C-alpha cells in the first residue's frame, strides 16, 4: 500500500512507527522539520516526540520553513520541548511562551536561515523530519504541499526521517523544482529569469544511507483560516487597482504588470482577489505562499503562472485543488523558500510585493511583528526579502483595529521591520499613499491625508504640526512619540492620549 | 591640449565655457551629476549654475552618485538652487537646509536610485553633467575617479554635458567596468561571480548626438578628511580580527575570509587598516568606496584585488595613487554603484560588510542617519544594500560620543535604518557582540556586557531588568525608551536621565 511510494526498495526496511522514529531525536538536538504556512509539515513524529517529552523532559532547537499546522507548535510548546524556534511561527500558545521568554525565538528573513546553516553560522542540523509524497528509485525525497527549507535540512542533516503521507496526492509529483545555490565563494548566478523557469530537480536529492527512518502517515494538512474579503479589504484592493491602472496609463507598467508577490493572511489574499475585476491579465505570481486567491485568479483566467514555496488553502479551495491537481499543475511550481524569496531573483524579476503591516508610521516605516514594540505576533517572514528588493513595495493594513481603539497609522512605529527606504506605497481602506521620491515631510502629508482614519486625522495633524515646527528632516516630538501606544496600553484606546500626558504630569 | 582627449572629432565644436554649458540647465529641471564621496564630481558647471541662480533664482532636483566634494553641495544650497536632493549628501550647509525643511532630501539605498529612474518611478533626467578623463573615438565617456550613477544618468538624460578634467590622469583609462542591467521584465543574471570579473565596457556608451556641451576643467578632486586610527578604533579592529581568527579556527572561513566591504568614514577605514597586522592574506574587497586602507592593504601585500565605485583618498594617499596608477591598476576596478551595491552580487559573493552605526540598540537595531530620530546627518548610503544581503553584517561604533555624554548603545534607537534581522555583529572598543542565532533577550545580554561603555553599563542593566520583568519577546518600557535621548536633548548628557523623569513628573 505504501511500498509503491518508496521507489528505493532497500529503504523498505526503514519503515517504523512514529514513536520509534522519534527516538532518533535526543535531548539538545537541532531538528529541521518540513512545513510552511500549515502545509507539508511533518505531522506524526513531532507529536510522538511531544508525548515522550511529557514523560521525560527534553529540549530541542526546532527549525522549519515557516509556521506549522496541526497544532504542532502548540503541542511542542505545551510539552516544553522547544528551547529555540527558528525562523517563523504563528501559534498562540507558542507565541505566549516566546513572549514569556520561555522559548528563544529567532525571527529571520525566510531566505536566510539555510544560508546561515550552510555556512555553519547556525548549529548543524542533527535530524531532519520531512513529509514526502514518495521516495524515488534513487532515494530522492518528493515533498508534498510545501518545500520551505526541507531540501537544505535534508541535504545537511546527519539523519533524515521521512514521513510518507499517503493522503498527499501522487499528482503532486513533478510540481516541485529543487534548486540549491552552490556554496560561496564559488557560487554561480541562479539561472532563473522568468517565474515559470524550472532550474532544478523534482525531488530532494539525498544520500539514501542518511534516511534513518520512514514513517507512514495519512493526516491531511490543516486548512488555512482565511477570512473572506470585506468592505475594507475591497476598498484596499480597489485603491491598488486604481493605482496600477494609472501606472499602466503612464506607461510605467504593461497590463500584465510585473510578477506579483503577496504575503500570508486575509488582507493580502483579499487584495489579490480584487484583481479578478481588474483590467489586468496574463498576470504572473512569484511568491512564497500561494493562497486561495491564486486559484481564484487562475479560474478567472487572469493568472498565467504561479511560483511559490507552499500552498496554503482554505478547505473548499484545497478540496478543489487536490481533486484537480492536473488541471493546475502546468501553471504551478513550488520551490525552496531560499529561491522563492531570493534577493537576486526578486530584484531581477522586478516583483510587485504586497505585504501586510501591523502598523505603519507617517514617514513610511512599517512594523510587521511586535505589538507595542514588545510582544511578538508571528515574525517578519519573507516580507523583508521582498520589500527590500522588489520593484514596488506595497504595505496594506486596515486604518484601525479593535473597533477603532487602535490606529494602524501612528506617529512612530514601536518596532521597525521595514524602514522608510523599503516602503513605496501604504494602502488602507481610506486611500493610498504613494511615497516614491518623497522626502519624509512630504510623506507625512500624504499618509495623514490619504491613509489615516477620520477618527485619528486631527490628532495626527496636530502631531505633525507640532513636530514640524520643531524642525528636522524627519520631525518628531521624542517625548510623546509613543503616547498613542501608551494610551492604548493604559486605557485601551489610542484616542485617550490626553489622559496619558495628564497621568505623567500628575505622578 | 584637450583635443587629444576628445576622440570623436565631430564633438570638438561642442567645447564651451562653463557658464554657457550651464545655460542648458533650466529652472525646474532634474539634473544628474557625477560624483561619489568627493570623487569624480562635475566641478565647474554646478558652480556656474550657482552663480547664475544667485542673480536669477531657480530650482533644480539634483541627483548624484553620493556626496560631492569641492563645496558643491554647500554652494548649491547657499544659492538656494536645490528643491530636491537624491540620494545622499554629507555637507553641513546642505544638511542644515535639509533639516530646516528647505530642501526635500530623498535618502535612498544607493543601488536603487537608477533602478527607479530606469523604470520611471522618479522624474526623468533632463541633463546629465559627467566628469570625464576623455571621450572615445565613438563618443563613449570615460569617467574619472568614480562612476557612481554617472553611466545611467548619461544613458537616460536628454542632454549630456561632459566636463573633461585634464588634471585627471589618462592612466585611469581602462580602470572602469560599465555594466548596466537590462530592463525588466527581460533581465538576465549579472554575470559577475568574482570581485575581479570584468563584465562591461571601459567607458559609458552614449549616442554622441546627446552630448550637448563639453567643458574643459582642471580642478582636482577634494581630498578625503580621514582621521587616523586611534586607540579606540584600534581596539575595534582588534576585536574584529580576533573574531575572524576564531571563525577561521572553527573552519567557517578560510584565511582569505570572504570579500570585504567597508563603509565610508574614519572608523571603517581604521578597521580595515587593522587587517595589516592580521594573519589573513589574499584578501579581496568588493565595496562601494575604496579609501586609504585599500592602498595600505595593497602595499602590505594583504589585498589581492579591490572592486569599488569610487576612490576617496586623503591627500598623501591620492598623491601616491595618481603618481602610480599603473602599479595598482591591474588589481582595481571601478563599477557603477548599482553593481558595486547590487543585492544579487552581494549575496552571491557572500560579502563581509563593515559599516558604521550612529547608534545601535540592545536588540541589534542600528541608526545610521538621524540624531534623536529627527536631524539627518548624511544618509543611509549603501549600508542597507550590504547589511541586508551580505554573508556577515558588522556594525562598528565607538561606545560613547561627545566625551562620554552620549552613549552610542541605547535602549532603543530613535530611527531604524538596519533592523535587528540585518545585524550580525556589533563592535565597540569595549568588545564584540555576536548576535547570530540569538533571540532578542539574549542579544540584549551580550550587547550590554560586551559593547556598552562602563559609564552606562549599570543604567542599561537596570533598563533591561525592568523591561524584562514586564515580559515580551523584545522587552521595552515604552514610556521611558527614549529617556536617554531626552536627557541629552534637555541636559546635554544621557547620564542625566533621572532629571528627565523628574522634569516630566513635576510638570
Amino acid at each position: 500500500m505504501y511500498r509503491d511510494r518508496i521507489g528505493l526498495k532497500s529503504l523498505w526496511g526503514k519503515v517504523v512507527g512514529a514513536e520509534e522514529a522519534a527516538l532518533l531525536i535526543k535531548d539538545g538536538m537541532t531538528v529541521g522539520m518540513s512545513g510552511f504556512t500549515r502545509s507539508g509539515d511533518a505531522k506524526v513524529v513531532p507529536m510522538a516526540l511531544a508525548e515522550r517529552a511529557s514523560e521525560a523532559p527534553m529540549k530541542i532547537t526546532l527549525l522549519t520553513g515557516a509556521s506549522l499546522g496541526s497544532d504542532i507548535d502548540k503541542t511542542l510548546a505545551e510539552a516544553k520541548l522547544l528551547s529555540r524556534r527558528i525562523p517563523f511561527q504563528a501559534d498562540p500558545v507558542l507565541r505566549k511562551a516566546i513572549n514569556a521568554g520561555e522559548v528563544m525565538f529567532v525571527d529571520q528573513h525566510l531566505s536566510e536561515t539555510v544560508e546561515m546553516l550552510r555556512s555553519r553560522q547556525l548549529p548543524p542540523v542533527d535530524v531532519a523530519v520531512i513529509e514526502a509524497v514518495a521516495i524515488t528509485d534513487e532515494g530522492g525525497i518528493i515533498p508534498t504541499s510545501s518545500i520551505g527549507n526541507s531540501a537544505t535540512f535534508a541535504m545537511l542533516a546527519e539523519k533524515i526521517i521521512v514521513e510518507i503521507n499517503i493522503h498527499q496526492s501522487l499528482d503532486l509529483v513533478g510540481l516541485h523544482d529543487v534548486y540549491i545555490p552552490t556554496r560561496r565563494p564559488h557560487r554561480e548566478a541562479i539561472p532563473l529569469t522568468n517565474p515559470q523557469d524550472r532550474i532544478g530537480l523534482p525531488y530532494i536529492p539525498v544520500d539514501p544511507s542518511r534516511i534513518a527512518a520512514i514513517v507512514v502517515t495519512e493526516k491531511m494538512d490543516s486548512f488555512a483560516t482565511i477570512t473572506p474579503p470585506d468592505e475594507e479589504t475591497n476598498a484596499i484592493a480597489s485603491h491598488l487597482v486604481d493605482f496600477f491602472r494609472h501606472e499602466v496609463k503612464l506607461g510605467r507598467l504593461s497590463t500584465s504588470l510585473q510578477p506579483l508577490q503577496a504575503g500570508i493572511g486575509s488582507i493580502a489574499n483579499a487584495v489579490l482577489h480584487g484583481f479578478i475585476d481588474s483590467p489586468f491579465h496574463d498576470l504572473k505570481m512569484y511568491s512564497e505562499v500561494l493562497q486561495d486567491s491564486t486559484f481564484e485568479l487562475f479560474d478567472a483566467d487572469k493568472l498565467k503562472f504561479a511560483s511559490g514555496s507552499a500552498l496554503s488553502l482554505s478547505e473548499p479551495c484545497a478540496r478543489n485543488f487536490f481533486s484537480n491537481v492536473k488541471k493546475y499543475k502546468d501553471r504551478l511550481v513550488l520551490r525552496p523558500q531560499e529561491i522563492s524569496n531570493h534577493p537576486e531573483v526578486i530584484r531581477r524579476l522586478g516583483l510587485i510585493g504586497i505585504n501586510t503591516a501591523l502598523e505603519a508610521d507617517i514617514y513610511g516605516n512599517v512594523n510587521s511583528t511586535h505589538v507595542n514594540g514588545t510582544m511578538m505576533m508571528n515574525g517578519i517572514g519573507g516580507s523583508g526579502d521582498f520589500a527590500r528588493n522588489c520593484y514596488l513595495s506595497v504595505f496594506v493594513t486596515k486604518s484601525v483595529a479593535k473597533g477603532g481603539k487602535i490606529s494602524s497609522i501612528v506617529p512612530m512605529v514601536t518596532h521597525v521591520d521595514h524602514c522608510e527606504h523599503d516602503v513605496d506605497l501604504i494602502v488602507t481602506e481610506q486611500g493610498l499613499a504613494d511615497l516614491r521620491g518623497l522626502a519624509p515631510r512630504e510623506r507625512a502629508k500624504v499618509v495623514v491625508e490619504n491613509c489615516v482614519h477620520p477618527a485619528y486625522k486631527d490628532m495626527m495633524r496636530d502631531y505633525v504640526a507640532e513636530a514640524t515646527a520643531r524642525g528636522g528632516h524627519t520631525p518628531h516630538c521624542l517625548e510623546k512619540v509613543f503616547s498613542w501606544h501608551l494610551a492604548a496600553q493604559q486605557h485601551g484606546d489610542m484616542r485617550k492620549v490626553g489622559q496619558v500626558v495628564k497621568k505623567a504630569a500628575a505622578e
Side-chain angles (χ1 to χ4, degrees), chain A:
Chain A
M1 193 202 61
Y2 61 80
R3 285 196 168 171
D4 58 331
R5 293 200 178 212
I6 306 176
L8 184 65
K9 292 192 179 68
S10 62
L11 291 175
W12 288 3
K14 300 278 186 183
V15 177
V16 296
E19 295 72 19
E20 190 179 337
L23 289 173
L24 292 166
I25 300 171
K26 300 188 197 315
D27 189 34
M29 278 190 170
T30 296
V31 181
M33 290 190 193
S34 65
F36 192 108
T37 57
R38 299 169 159 251
S39 298
D41 29 26
K43 294 174 180 73
V44 295
V45 172
M47 290 308 197
L49 196 65
E51 199 159 322
R52 194 173 108 214
S54 67
E55 286 160 25
M58 60 180 282
K59 293 279 185 193
I60 62 167
T61 289
L62 175 61
L63 297 102
T64 59
S67 57
L68 303 176
S70 307
D71 284 340
I72 296 168
D73 265 329
K74 171 175 182 280
T75 309
L76 297 180
E78 284 170 348
K80 303 202 179 300
L81 193 75
L82 301 176
S83 62
R84 194 170 295 274
R85 182 75 177 84
I86 307 172
F88 187 84
Q89 61 75 42
D91 178 81
V93 174
L94 175 53
R95 181 183 301 147
K96 207 173 153 193
I98 288 168
N99 285 318
E102 294 160 13
V103 177
M104 294 294 103
F105 176 48
V106 188
D107 174 26
Q108 293 185 323
H109 299 303
L110 292 190
S111 77
E112 291 190 356
T113 306
V114 295
E115 197 82 273
M116 293 192 77
L117 277 176
R118 195 184 296 127
S119 55
R120 295 161 52 197
Q121 297 188 86
L122 287 176
V125 178
D126 297 299
V127 179
V129 190
I130 310 294
E131 186 180 80
V133 169
I135 293 175
T136 68
D137 293 352
E138 294 76 31
I141 300 168
I142 302 173
T144 61
S145 44
S146 73
I147 300 187
N149 285 325
S150 299
T152 297
F153 292 161
M155 289 159 81
L156 295 179
E158 207 182 309
K159 291 180 181 168
I160 306 167
I161 302 171
V162 180
E163 288 196 5
I164 298 273
N165 188 331
I166 56 173
H167 268 188
Q168 290 272 18
S169 167
L170 279 169
D171 290 340
L172 294 175
V173 177
L175 186 66
H176 311 91
D177 185 56
V178 177
Y179 175 93
I180 301 295
T182 48
R183 285 193 198 221
R184 299 179 292 208
H186 304 293
R187 184 175 292 178
E188 298 298 318
I190 300 171
L192 192 159
T193 57
N194 207 309
Q196 65 262 41
D197 287 350
R198 287 188 163 268
I199 60 175
L201 297 169
Y203 56 84
I204 301 168
V206 294
D207 172 357
S209 72
R210 288 191 294 108
I211 298 181
I214 298 172
V215 180
V216 179
T217 73
E218 49 181 29
K219 206 166 163 231
M220 291 285 285
D221 283 341
S222 298
F223 299 115
T225 50
I226 288 286
T227 51
D230 58 27
E231 201 177 321
E232 279 137 13
T233 61
N234 285 341
I236 293 171
S238 163
H239 296 315
L240 255 182
V241 167
D242 286 349
F243 167 83
F244 286 122
R245 208 193 291 257
H246 188 64
E247 293 290 297
V248 170
K249 204 169 153 191
L250 292 176
R252 287 182 188 149
L253 287 171
S254 77
T255 49
S256 305
L257 307 179
Q258 289 282 114
L260 299 167
Q261 175 265 335
I264 184 80
S266 298
I267 299 185
N269 185 62
V271 166
L272 276 198
H273 178 91
F275 279 74
I276 291 175
D277 295 318
S278 79
F280 315 121
H281 52 81
D282 293 319
L283 300 169
K284 292 180 184 176
M285 289 189 71
Y286 192 86
S287 202
E288 56 181 32
V289 56
L290 304 176
Q291 301 183 81
D292 287 13
S293 50
T294 298
F295 294 88
E296 291 162 2
L297 287 168
F298 274 139
D299 293 344
D301 206 21
K302 284 288 181 186
L303 187 63
K304 266 182 93 170
F305 197 88
S307 167
S309 188
L311 304 167
S312 186
L313 307 176
S314 69
E315 181 164 356
C317 188
R319 295 209 185 282
N320 171 52
F321 171 71
F322 285 105
S323 313
N324 296 284
V325 175
K326 284 180 183 156
K327 176 179 158 194
Y328 295 104
K329 205 163 137 186
D330 62 345
R331 290 176 285 171
L332 273 182
V333 64
L334 295 185
R335 308 180 187 280
Q337 71 195 65
E338 181 179 14
I339 302 299
S340 64
N341 290 33
H342 204 289
E344 171 174 341
V345 179
I346 292 166
R347 180 82 168 243
R348 183 184 301 146
L349 296 180
L351 303 190
I352 294 169
I354 303 169
N355 291 288
T356 307
L358 186 64
E359 60 179 7
D361 71 28
I362 48 175
Y363 297 116
N365 301 284
V366 167
N367 174 5
S368 305
T369 54
H370 283 72
V371 176
N372 287 321
T374 57
M375 305 301 273
M376 169 57 63
M377 285 293 294
N378 301 329
I380 190 169
S383 57
D385 293 319
F386 293 102
R388 174 68 53 91
N389 297 301
C390 62
Y391 161 88
L392 187 82
S393 167
V394 183
F395 280 89
V396 292
T397 178
K398 296 185 181 187
S399 70
V400 290
K402 301 210 185 281
K405 290 179 181 164
I406 305 289
S407 172
S408 308
I409 313 290
V410 292
M412 181 188 270
V413 292
T414 52
H415 183 91
V416 177
D417 291 292
H418 308 288
C419 68
E420 43 152 344
H421 313 282
D422 294 341
V423 179
D424 294 317
L425 305 186
I426 294 176
V427 195
T428 70
E429 80 290 349
Q430 300 295 318
L432 178 150
D434 181 356
L435 309 178
R436 293 174 299 173
L438 299 187
R441 289 172 183 230
E442 298 171 307
R443 286 180 225 151
K445 264 184 212 141
V446 297
V447 171
V448 175
E449 297 311 321
N450 297 2
C451 297
V452 172
H453 190 275
Y456 288 91
K457 212 169 249 191
D458 283 340
M459 277 169 67
M460 191 67 97
R461 285 189 190 123
D462 290 348
Y463 179 82
V464 172
E466 185 181 356
T468 306
R470 294 191 197 174
H473 176 60
T474 305
H476 269 306
C477 305
L478 220 49
E479 81 287 1
K480 60 168 73 171
V481 79
F482 293 144
S483 55
W484 295 26
H485 297 88
L486 290 169
Q489 273 188 334
Q490 292 171 16
H491 307 287
D493 194 324
M494 282 188 173
R495 288 165 295 190
K496 297 190 176 168
V497 60
Q499 286 170 250
V500 174
V501 177
K502 275 178 218 148
K503 186 173 177 288
E507 257 169 13

